[in-house]
Structures are given as structure tokens and as C-alpha cells.
Amino acid sequence: MKTLIKNIGCIATVRGNAAKSGKAQGDVTFTENAWILCEDGKITDIGTGDAPCGAVNTVDAEGNLLTAGLVDSHTHLVFGGWRENELAMKLHGVEYLDILRQGGGILSTVKFTRAASEDELTEKTRDILSEMLALGTTTCEAKSGYGLSVEAELKQLRVVKKLNETQSVELVSTFMAAHAVPPEYKGNKSGYVDEIVNNMLPEIKDLAEFCDVFCETAVFDAQDSKRILEAAQRMGLGAKIHADEIDPIGGSELAGEIGAISAEHLIACRESGIRSMAKGGTVAVCLPCTSFYLGKGFAPARDMIEAGVPVAIASDFNPGSTPNLSLQLAMNMGCYKYRMTPEEVLTAVTLNAAAAIGRADKIGTVEVGKQADFVIWDAPNLNRVFYRYGHNQVKTVIKHGEVIKK
Ligand code: IZC
Ligand code: ZN
């Protein structure tokens, strides 16, 4: 089926099939007074001036800005319950890791998630995805890690699989049983790492594309992370790592060393970590809403860009460290707090985000041959999107060439 998007005030897009770093991260082209033709879910032609005739469906962009659909490359999407009780604790100065050490935090979400049925989790997550979609997210990575047993991790991964088949946001699954040590293994972290490597990974490997580890003080150290991620790589999964969120204990250095596709958080990233990521071709997935919500510093995203590390920006949507699902808010923060330009941030939530989840050849740019996933903004230009903040600036969302939010 042919769809024509006409009367586009401006298309803003980076170009290519691989992550961009350095100056190229801000190398966005602007095409004014444009149209796009799509067929069978892909972009088949792009032009300016008079639009061609003969399309079955026509979408009028009414002179607005069009970009590629937004790609949220880091979320903990599927979970039971919420954790509003932690806000008061935080306001009284209790640290994120101390809540976890006391058996709350991630471990309280594990209790809720284990107790929830697969159908309950599916319906709750379906509602969350429809909010994300309305905010412009057309592809979303989803980490497990609130089950922490073979059965409960499989339950989370099956929810993602089912939702991928029954709603419009495209989902990419990451296995993250190395998110916390479950109560059954309290005091026996090495036993739990053995369980992940020997029993969990072989059971789940067909339901996930990536494996992630929370490499952090009081959770998994760099040695545990290396063991788990190398085992995952041998089973065909790509490696991701939660690195330097709170303490720099070697996560970003390890990411480059093992050729991880991404290292994520990086608030406390050191120069040695930046160098290692640049050398290893690792995408830095930065999560500014988490810094904001935890009242912490911001990742040195500018230093990374200048050192040749491609930077992606994601929401980190989760029930603890940032229960925000708006990638638009993360985009604004990327601009205001990382001091990235609107062009650099656009690349961070489109092509570089797609690269962080192994999709840079299919999504993330507006070019012939790419998937027809777009956002039409309630804005005439890119600067307007970044200048305003706090409300939904997305007007229309198109996925595989079809309007799914108007
Ligand atoms: O549930 O607190 N940082 N994992 C690592 C999280 C945040 C999610 C959570
Ligand atoms: Zn995370």
C-alpha cells in the first residue's frame, strides 16, 4: 500500500547506517517543502516541491517538522507495582543503593513482578506503550531483570514478545537477570552468577537479543560482569552494560574491552572509560532524566562526543530511579544539561539509539530504503522542539507507513 506524506515544512535527519560520533553526530540535514512516499512500510522516494499523484493514503503534515520515529534504547519496561514510597525516603536523604541494600528498590519490584500474572503484566505494559507511542517513541528496548529466576525472567521476556506482536511500538528484548542478587542467593552472589551463566542464559537465549549487567557497587563487579557478558556473547547475544551510574568500578572500561554494543548511564565515567568505549566502538547511552530524578551529576556527554564516542539518549523508564517514559523530556535535558545541540540530540534519539540496539541499518534516519517510521511535530523547525518543554509536542506518529497516532 502506498502512502504519501505531503506538505512537510522541513525534514530533519542525520544520514547513514551506523552510529555517528564527533562532529558527524551533529551533521543533520534539513530538507524544506518536502514529501515522502512509502510502500510496504518502507520509504521509497523523497522529494521537494510538487508531490506525486497516485498514493492510496495521503497524510498532510501541514507545514510541520518531520523526523524519524524516536528510538528509546534503554528502558526497564515490564514490572509489577510502583515504588512511590521511595520518594519520601529520597527526600530524607536515603541513597538509591542504600534502599536496595535494605531489601527495597529493585528487590521490591522483584516481589511485585513475581506476584503478577503474565496477563496483568501484559496489560499494564500495553498501556505504558500506548503513552510512549503518543509521545513519539516508535521503537523501544526492554530489559528484563525483575524476575531473577528462570521462570520469572521468562515471564517478563514472553510479555515483551507478545506485546511486540500485538501493539505498534517495536520492542527489542534485553535479558538482565544480573540486575540484583535475589533473596534466595543473599550472601552468595557467586552462586547467582553461576546460575545466570549455567542455567538462565541457555534457557532464555532465544527470547532476547542482548544481555545487560548492573555493574555497580553492592551489585555486580567488573569481574562478574565480564563473566556473564562473555558467556552471553558466546551464546549469540550482544553485550550491554549499566556502567558508572553511581561509582566508576570499571564498567565503561570493560565495555570497550569486550566490544559491548553499548554502555549505559555513565554519570561517573572516567577518561579511561571514554577512551575504551571509543576504541571498542561502543555507543554511550546517556540517561539525563535519571541524573535529574536522583539529584546526581550528569554524564560527560560532550567529552564523549569530542573523544569520538557516539552518544545516544534514552528515557531509562523504570519504577525506581526514573519513572518517566517521555523521551521528549530526555531530549530537552540532553540539550539543557549535557549542552548538546538540537542536532546532536536528534541523532542521539534516532540513528545512535538505533545503533545501540543493532537496528541502524533499518531505522533512525529518513532515507530511501529505511523503515517508514516518523514523527510529525507540532513545530515548524527543530529548534522549536528543544526551546519548548514539558508538554507533548508530537502531533502525528507513523509506523511502517501507517498513521498510528493522530
Ligand atoms: O528498578 O531501580 N538503575 N536499575 C539500575 C534501575 C536503576 C532500575 C530500578
Ligand atoms: Zn537501567
Side-chain angles (χ1 to χ4, degrees):
M1 192 173 62
K2 270 192 187 175
T3 301
L4 171 73
I5 306 165
K6 65 173 191 182
N7 204 8
I8 302 168
C10 178
I11 300 173
T13 188
V14 65
R15 293 183 184 280
N17 292 330
K20 301 282 178 187
S21 60
K23 255 181 73 65
Q25 170 134 15
D27 202 1
V28 165
T29 55
F30 297 95
T31 310
E32 289 181 2
N33 186 22
W35 50 263
I36 299 173
L37 206 53
C38 316
E39 200 169 349
D40 299 328
K42 287 199 173 157
I43 303 171
T44 52
D45 202 2
I46 300 173
T48 56
D50 289 339
C53 309
V56 177
N57 290 322
T58 302
V59 180
D60 188 344
E62 296 172 348
N64 285 299
L65 170 74
L66 178 145
T67 67
L70 306 181
V71 179
D72 197 342
S73 56
H74 180 137
T75 81
H76 302 256
L77 185 68
V78 181
F79 54 85
W82 292 92
R83 298 191 339 231
E84 61 271 27
N85 60 311
E86 288 177 15
L87 177 59
M89 295 168 82
K90 277 180 210 149
L91 295 176
H92 284 96
V94 184
E95 292 288 333
Y96 175 82
L97 283 181
D98 288 328
I99 298 175
L100 178 60
R101 282 191 187 97
Q102 291 160 20
I106 295 169
L107 291 175
S108 74
T109 301
V110 169
K111 272 191 215 136
F112 289 128
T113 308
R114 285 180 174 181
S117 73
E118 201 164 315
D119 284 349
E120 280 164 0
L121 290 174
T122 305
E123 293 320 306
K124 173 181 177 174
T125 310
R126 192 188 301 282
D127 290 346
I128 288 168
L129 285 166
S130 100
E131 287 184 57
M132 285 180 161
L133 183 72
L135 289 159
T137 299
T138 50
T139 302
C140 177
E141 186 252 14
K143 301 177 196 295
S144 71
Y146 293 123
L148 313 187
S149 68
V150 172
E151 236 343 283
E153 287 291 307
L154 281 173
K155 179 170 70 177
Q156 276 192 278
L157 294 167
R158 282 195 303 263
V159 167
V160 174
K161 183 170 191 284
K162 188 185 232 170
L163 286 167
N164 209 14
E165 290 157 2
T166 56
Q167 56 79 57
S168 302
V169 180
E170 199 170 325
L171 300 175
V172 175
S173 234
T174 297
F175 169 64
M176 197 180 173
H179 194 194
V181 177
E184 309 82 81
Y185 284 89
K186 196 170 179 190
N188 180 19
K189 184 188 67 174
S190 70
Y192 184 55
V193 173
D194 287 343
E195 167 70 8
I196 292 173
V197 169
N198 299 328
N199 296 328
M200 295 173 107
L201 268 170
E203 286 282 333
I204 65 82
K205 68 177 185 340
D206 297 332
L207 279 173
E209 281 181 56
F210 300 100
C211 178
D212 197 339
V213 175
F214 191 11
C215 181
E216 189 54 70
T217 304
V219 197
F220 299 94
D221 61 26
Q223 223 181 328
D224 302 325
S225 306
K226 184 167 188 210
R227 188 166 162 230
I228 294 165
L229 293 175
E230 287 186 336
Q233 285 175 322
R234 282 194 296 275
M235 289 183 216
L237 303 187
K240 290 177 163 284
I241 183 163
H242 277 59
D244 313 336
E245 176 177 358
I246 296 155
D247 296 319
I249 60 164
S252 50
E253 288 83 355
L254 175 66
E257 182 195 322
I258 63 170
I261 193 163
S262 64
E264 323 204 337
H265 279 292
L266 304 163
I267 292 170
C269 187
R270 299 171 294 200
E271 222 184 284
S272 53
I274 297 179
R275 271 200 309 273
S276 178
M277 290 189 291
K279 197 163 161 222
T282 299
V283 179
V285 178
C286 295
L287 309 166
C289 293
T290 311
S291 293
F292 168 70
Y293 197 73
L294 292 179
K296 299 291 177 195
F298 286 79
R302 279 244 68 85
D303 294 347
M304 293 173 191
I305 291 175
E306 264 126 53
V309 178
V311 170
I313 289 177
S315 73
D316 190 24
F317 173 64
N318 76 76
S321 62
T322 192
N324 158 61
L325 47 72
S326 169
L327 193 49
Q328 286 180 58
L329 184 60
M331 291 164 68
N332 287 113
M333 295 275 177
C335 193
Y336 312 148
K337 304 303 286 188
Y338 295 152
R339 315 307 291 177
M340 285 167 65
T341 64
E343 289 82 0
E344 287 168 338
V345 174
L346 179 66
T347 303
V349 293
T350 54
L351 184 59
N352 284 1
I357 53 169
R359 298 279 192 285
D361 56 336
K362 295 192 178 67
I363 55 174
T365 71
V366 183
E367 291 175 286
V368 170
K370 286 260 175 122
Q371 210 162 284
D373 297 357
F374 312 113
V375 167
I376 300 172
W377 298 84
D378 185 16
N381 57 57
L382 191 64
N383 284 340
R384 177 75 68 81
V385 170
F386 286 85
Y387 149 76
R388 297 193 65 190
Y389 81 108
H391 69 296
N392 187 6
Q393 298 188 70
V394 165
K395 201 171 147 94
T396 306
V397 181
I398 296 171
K399 181 81 190 170
H400 293 299
E402 270 180 58
V403 173
I404 46 176
K405 182 238 166 180
K406 230 185 150 118

